[in-house]
């Protein structure tokens, strides 16, 4: 036996026994699939699995940084896979990580380090990560990760309290979920029994205030939805779910389905507020993010209903409505609760907001920025089969998500991409045009600028370079690499040119163009040759709608 210091990683499935009891064969198949993902991430991060038992995994890493980075990648990837299942069938892991002195025996590791990692895993939230103070100290200044200090925690079979931190898991909108403390902090010595009600009251009030501030009322809405289920007015027709998302029982008696139940967003910055809130008299044809069936409901049943009524939505396309309520407040609350309940059931990170109360628009944001029509074009020279690994400007976990969700989804489907790497996909729409519009609306609302439709159904509908690394969106009118007096000419010549188009510049910023080429290489060659006529040391800066650089 030998001793060593190692970062210990412990993971297991939340609610595994229930999942097995409900459907043993499916659970075991999915466990094997999920374990492949976990094992692959651990191996790539330099870790080693030293023990497994049922749904549990124990691994060691050479550093805390590697262990935490690996844990985050695993949780993001598994969250993507879980989106394909209803909440009751999702398979989510808890992960605990510590640094400790362990004993190695026949490849297995033993000691307090292993025990503490297992206890930290028990403290973690479903789909979350809990780490010891030693790990927090190692990682805090090395990874772009936020933590919540949950203090000293008493855990089973460990004689002294363990000071723990929750990793604030990143939501899909780029914000961070605030972890909830699962257990009380360590014992308060010699506290009189009569003091405990007061202590609990103070802690509860503080927690409620902080949570309310951080979640901006979302928890309150979720709690009220759970306590008082939304009631659909009897005059409103029932609807069924046609796209992946919440189970049909969750949607029973709903006046409309969350039409983007299969839609998804990549990690992205917070939405940029519109210049001015929407206001004025309600018109169904101007409501963003919704499909045509919901629009028909709004134009028909909603518009015809008397007060009191309200309609709520979120950027992801989830909706809620209330008709014929006793007062305005009841209509507002019901619409918000119904929308938020649907969004939460599908794990949408977006908060629902009131769009219209009565017949007056009260939405706090303007119309989402949109590109000019047509939103996409079919071009035989540039269109090619969609391949997730080639999707531009997103990280590997998001490419995995596209492979798991977009590729197998029902038509019509669309992915819109923002200049900051934001993306939004709409699945199972009534038409390609409807899918494109809705993906652009949601992506634009999140990015704060117009997005670009990159894929429709099985194909990329814009030229996606493979010879260069894509670095962003190309705008010739403002591109600083091109000398100012030449930008207008570049804009004019690019125009609506079909095929592959490339732009090159030299040291003086004089541009060269390769237009309407049959393939990427031909466009590049032509652009470099054109640039060489008027400048030196030319290099390609743009291909199609993207700025590009050399592949590292």
């Amino acid at each position: 036996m030998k001793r060593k210091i190692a970062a210990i990683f412990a993971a297991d499935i939340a609610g595994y026994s229930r999942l097995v009891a409900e459907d043993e064969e499916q659970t075991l198949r999915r466990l094997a699939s999920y374990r492949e993902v976990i094992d692959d991430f651990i191996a790539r991060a330099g870790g080693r699995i030293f023990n497994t038992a049922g749904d549990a995994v124990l691994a060691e890493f050479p550093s805390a940084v590697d262990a935490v980075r690996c844990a985050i990648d695993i949780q993001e990837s598994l969250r993507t896979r879980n989106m394909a299942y209803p909440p009751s069938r999702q398979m989510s892991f808890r992960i605990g990580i510590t640094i400790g002195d362990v004993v190695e025996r026949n490849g297995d590791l033993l000691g307090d380090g292993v025990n503490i990692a297992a206890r930290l895993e028990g403290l973690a939230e479903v789909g979350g990560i809990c780490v010891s103070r030693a790990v927090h100290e190692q990682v805090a200044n090395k990874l772009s990760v936020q933590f919540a200090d949950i203090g000293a925690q008493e855990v089973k079979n460990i004689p002294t309290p363990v000071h723990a931190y929750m990793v604030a898991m990143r939501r899909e909108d780029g914000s961070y979920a605030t972890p909830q403390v699962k257990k009380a902090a360590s014992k308060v010595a010699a506290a009189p029994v009569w003091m405990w009600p007061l202590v609990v009251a103070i802690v509860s009030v503080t927690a409620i205030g902080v949570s309310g501030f951080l979640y901006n009322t979302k928890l309150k809405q979720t709690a009220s939805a759970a306590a008082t289920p939304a009631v659909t007015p009897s005059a409103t027709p029932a609807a069924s779910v046609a796209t992946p998302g919440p189970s049909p029982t969750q949607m029973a008696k709903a006046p409309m389905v969350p039409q983007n139940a299969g839609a998804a967003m990549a990690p992205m910055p917070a939405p940029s507020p519109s210049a001015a809130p929407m206001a004025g008299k309600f018109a169904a044809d101007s409501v963003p993010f919704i499909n045509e069936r919901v629009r028909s409901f709004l134009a028909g049943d909603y518009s015809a209903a008397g007060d009191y009524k309200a309609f709520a939505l979120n950027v992801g396309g989830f909706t809620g409505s209330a008709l014929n309520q006793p007062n305005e407040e009841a209509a507002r609350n019901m619409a918000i609760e119904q929308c938020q309940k649907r969004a939460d059931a599908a794990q949408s990170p977006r908060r629902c907001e009131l769009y219209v109360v009565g017949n007056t628009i009260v939405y706090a944001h303007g119309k989402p920025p949109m590109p000019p029509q047509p939103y996409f074009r079919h071009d035989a020279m540039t269109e090619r089969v969609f391949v997730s690994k080639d999707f531009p400007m997103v990280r590997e976990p998001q490419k995995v998500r596209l492979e798991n969700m977009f590729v197998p989804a029902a038509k019509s489907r669309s992915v819109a991409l923002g200049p900051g790497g934001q993306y939004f996909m709409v699945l199972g729409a009534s038409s390609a045009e409807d899918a494109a519009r809705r993906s652009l609306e949601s992506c634009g609302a999140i990015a704060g600028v117009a997005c670009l439709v990159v894929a429709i159904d099985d194909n990329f509908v814009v030229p996606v370079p493979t010879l260069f690394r894509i670095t962003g969106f190309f705008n010739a009118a403002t591109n600083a690499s091109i000398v100012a007096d030449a930008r207008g000419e570049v804009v004019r010549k690019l125009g609506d040119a079909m095929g592959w188009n490339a732009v090159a510049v030299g040291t003086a910023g004089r541009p060269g163009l390769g237009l309407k080429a049959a393939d990427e290489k031909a466009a590049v060659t032509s652009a470099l040759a054109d640039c060489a006529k008027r400048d030196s040391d030319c290099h390609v800066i743009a291909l199609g709608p993207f700025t590009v650089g050399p592949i590292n």
Side-chain angles (χ1 to χ4, degrees):
M1 295 189 300
K2 67 175 183 179
R3 288 190 172 275
K4 64 180 179 180
I5 301 295
I8 305 299
F9 166 111
D12 78 355
I13 298 171
Y16 180 69
S17 298
R18 176 186 60 80
L19 292 170
V20 171
E22 291 177 355
D23 191 333
E24 181 178 22
E25 290 187 1
Q26 184 200 62
T27 299
L28 293 176
R29 284 196 300 270
R30 287 179 57 204
L31 174 59
S33 173
Y34 282 28
R35 274 294 310 276
E36 289 180 4
V37 174
I38 292 172
D39 293 2
D40 181 57
F41 273 115
I42 289 174
R44 283 192 286 170
R48 178 183 74 89
I49 295 174
F50 63 84
N51 203 339
T52 62
D55 61 315
V57 178
L58 290 170
E60 64 168 324
F61 288 82
S63 78
V65 172
D66 292 335
V68 173
R69 183 187 288 119
C70 177
I72 292 171
D73 288 342
I74 286 171
Q75 295 291 37
E76 288 184 352
S77 179
L78 296 186
R79 182 180 63 183
T80 296
R81 288 173 174 257
N82 274 330
M83 291 291 288
Y85 298 90
S88 63
R89 295 303 301 165
Q90 291 181 0
M91 184 178 287
S92 299
F93 281 75
R94 296 186 178 98
I95 298 176
I97 303 172
T98 190
I99 299 175
D101 184 54
V102 294
V103 174
E104 184 172 5
R105 183 175 64 188
N106 298 326
D108 197 5
L109 299 183
L110 308 169
D112 279 352
V114 178
N115 295 335
I116 291 172
R119 301 309 177 209
L120 290 168
E121 171 267 307
L123 291 172
E125 293 181 302
V126 176
I129 303 164
C130 186
V131 304
S132 66
R133 178 161 54 188
V135 171
H136 174 262
E137 291 171 352
Q138 290 288 321
V139 172
N141 296 322
K142 297 182 178 69
L143 291 178
S144 180
V145 178
Q146 297 184 14
F147 294 88
D149 185 348
I150 64 171
Q153 301 289 313
E154 290 188 340
V155 294
K156 184 178 179 181
N157 295 335
I158 303 296
T160 58
V162 178
H163 198 116
Y165 294 77
M166 296 284 197
V167 175
M169 298 302 295
R170 185 172 180 171
R171 297 189 185 100
E172 296 180 22
D173 62 355
S175 64
Y176 289 85
T178 303
Q180 301 297 294
V181 180
K182 289 187 62 181
K183 296 187 178 182
S186 59
K187 293 185 290 187
V188 179
V193 173
W194 64 266
M195 287 184 63
W196 281 109
L198 178 60
V199 172
V200 171
I202 292 171
V203 171
S204 299
V205 170
T206 303
I208 290 170
V210 172
S211 298
F213 173 76
L214 291 176
Y215 281 94
N216 194 21
T217 75
K218 178 178 177 181
L219 289 183
K220 182 171 68 176
Q221 293 168 350
T222 304
S224 62
T228 310
V231 179
T232 303
S234 59
T236 306
S240 59
V241 179
T243 57
S247 64
T249 56
Q250 293 168 323
M251 295 307 177
K253 299 183 181 179
M256 60 204 68
V257 300
Q259 66 275 11
N260 279 4
M265 289 159 284
M268 55 189 66
S272 301
S274 300
M278 295 181 72
K281 190 172 178 62
F282 169 71
D285 59 3
S286 65
V287 181
F289 318 131
I290 62 173
N291 65 21
E292 293 310 311
R293 192 169 60 79
V294 176
R295 201 177 306 281
S296 295
F297 166 81
L298 292 173
D301 291 4
Y302 185 90
S303 295
D307 281 339
Y308 296 98
K309 60 186 178 182
F311 175 75
L313 50 67
N314 78 354
V315 172
F318 294 90
T319 62
S321 66
L323 307 180
N324 306 318
Q325 295 302 297
N327 54 57
E328 183 178 294
E329 183 178 4
R332 286 172 173 265
N333 290 341
M334 178 178 289
I336 283 286
E337 288 172 7
Q338 191 180 84
C339 178
Q340 197 63 56
K341 186 175 182 179
R342 292 168 176 169
D344 290 343
Q347 296 185 332
S348 169
R350 295 292 172 184
R351 183 170 59 89
C352 288
E353 300 179 68
L354 286 168
Y355 182 85
V356 59
V357 176
N359 290 313
T360 302
I361 297 173
V362 296
Y363 193 52
H365 313 285
K367 290 185 177 181
M370 296 285 283
Q373 293 187 355
Y375 296 141
F376 66 93
R377 299 185 302 184
H378 291 293
D379 182 350
M381 287 192 287
T382 60
E383 193 166 311
R384 66 180 176 93
V385 173
F386 178 88
V387 179
S388 300
K389 69 179 181 63
D390 293 339
F391 194 87
M393 299 170 56
V394 300
R395 295 171 55 201
E396 190 61 33
Q398 283 68 59
K399 294 181 181 182
V400 171
R401 184 176 194 180
L402 287 164
E403 182 67 25
N404 292 339
M405 292 185 65
F406 183 77
V407 172
K411 297 179 180 179
S412 293
R413 56 189 188 270
S414 169
V415 187
L417 175 69
Q422 311 91 343
Y423 76 84
F424 197 101
M425 54 179 153
V426 168
L427 315 175
S430 59
S431 66
E433 290 71 21
D434 182 55
R437 173 187 59 79
R438 287 159 52 197
S439 64
L440 286 169
E441 286 176 339
S442 295
C443 180
I446 294 160
V449 295
C451 293
L452 171 75
V453 172
V454 173
I456 292 288
D457 292 334
D458 299 324
N459 297 308
F460 285 118
V461 290
V462 295
V464 178
T466 58
L467 302 178
F468 293 82
R469 178 173 56 90
I470 297 173
T471 58
F473 281 11
F474 177 63
N475 184 348
T478 59
N479 190 281
S481 297
I482 303 172
V483 66
D485 62 8
R487 294 173 193 166
E489 182 70 4
V490 173
V491 172
R492 185 185 65 79
K493 287 186 176 180
L494 288 175
D496 291 329
M498 303 290 278
W500 283 90
N501 300 299
V503 181
V505 296
T507 54
R510 291 294 166 188
L513 303 179
L515 303 177
K516 302 179 182 179
D519 57 52
E520 181 181 358
K521 186 175 181 180
V524 168
T525 301
S526 179
L528 290 172
D530 188 43
C531 175
K533 296 176 183 177
R534 55 186 64 88
D535 211 333
S536 59
D537 295 328
C538 293
H539 62 282
V540 174
I541 63 167
L543 274 164
F546 302 108
T547 56
V548 296
I551 296 177
N552 296 329

